[in-house]
Amino acid sequence: MENKTFYNESLTEHNVHPYHKHALEGATMALEGVNPSCGDDIVLLLKMDGNRIADASFQGDGCAISQASADMMLDLIIGKDREEALRLADIFLRMIQGKASAEELEELEESSVLSDVAHMPARVKCACLGWHTVKEMLEKKKDE
C-alpha cells in the first residue's frame, strides 16, 4: 500500500506542480512528441553545453501520467551527459516492459514509481512519451 501511495503522491505532485514545464530561454534543441492515441502533445527543450544537458524543460498538454513522467525524466537527466541520459532512457523503457533489474530501477530514482504503468497497457505510451522524445533527440544529435 505504501508504494501505491508514493506513486499517487509523486504522480500528483509532478502533474499539478511540474518544476520543468516552462519555456526555456536559449534552448539548443527542441522536438515535439505526440501520442495520437490519446492526444498527449509535448515539446521537449534541451540546452546542451557540449555533450552535457545543462538545462531542459517541456511544454504542452496531456494526461497526468505523460506530464508527470516528462517532469520526472527531466529531474533525472539534467546535468547528465548525452550517453548517460540515453542509458537512463533505455532503462526506463525496459522497466515499462518489465525487463529492468532492481539495481537499474534504483538508478531511475523517483521515475521508478511509474513501473506500475506496465500493468496498464492503455497508459504505457503516455508514460513513455517524454522518454521516447528525448531518446530521439539525443540519438539524432549523436548522428550529426
Side-chain angles (χ1 to χ4, degrees):
M1 182 66 178
E2 182 179 323
N3 192 29
K4 188 146 187 88
T5 300
F6 183 66
Y7 166 82
N8 289 332
E9 288 173 359
S10 294
L11 193 69
T12 300
E13 181 61 26
H14 281 278
N15 181 52
V16 175
H17 304 289
Y19 184 76
H20 301 289
K21 188 174 183 177
H22 55 82
L24 181 62
E25 198 68 32
T28 55
M29 300 176 76
L31 185 64
E32 183 176 26
V34 178
N35 179 357
S37 63
C38 69
D40 293 338
D41 186 355
I42 66 166
V43 175
L44 190 58
L45 304 156
L46 300 182
K47 186 185 293 186
M48 300 297 291
D49 180 9
N51 198 36
R52 187 178 72 85
I53 301 168
D55 202 0
S57 72
F58 73 101
Q59 295 179 299
D61 296 302
C63 69
I65 291 175
S66 72
Q67 302 294 287
S69 182
D71 201 53
M72 288 179 201
M73 175 191 73
L74 295 179
D75 273 350
L76 190 62
I77 68 168
I78 292 173
K80 305 282 194 298
D81 68 27
R82 185 183 57 75
E83 290 300 324
E84 179 65 5
L86 282 169
R87 191 179 74 75
L88 291 167
D90 284 337
I91 292 171
F92 182 88
L93 296 171
R94 284 190 294 105
M95 173 191 75
I96 294 297
Q97 298 170 348
K99 297 179 182 176
S101 70
E103 294 81 20
E104 290 173 321
L105 292 180
E106 285 182 27
E107 290 185 66
L108 293 177
E109 299 174 7
E110 189 179 19
S111 299
S112 69
V113 301
L114 294 168
S115 64
D116 287 345
V117 171
H119 306 293
M120 299 179 264
R123 305 317 299 259
V124 166
K125 288 182 180 180
C126 305
C128 295
L129 180 60
W131 297 88
H132 280 301
T133 306
V134 78
K135 188 173 176 183
E136 183 179 341
M137 288 175 81
L138 295 175
E139 285 177 344
K140 181 178 178 185
K141 181 170 175 51
K142 183 177 171 180
D143 295 337
E144 291 178 351

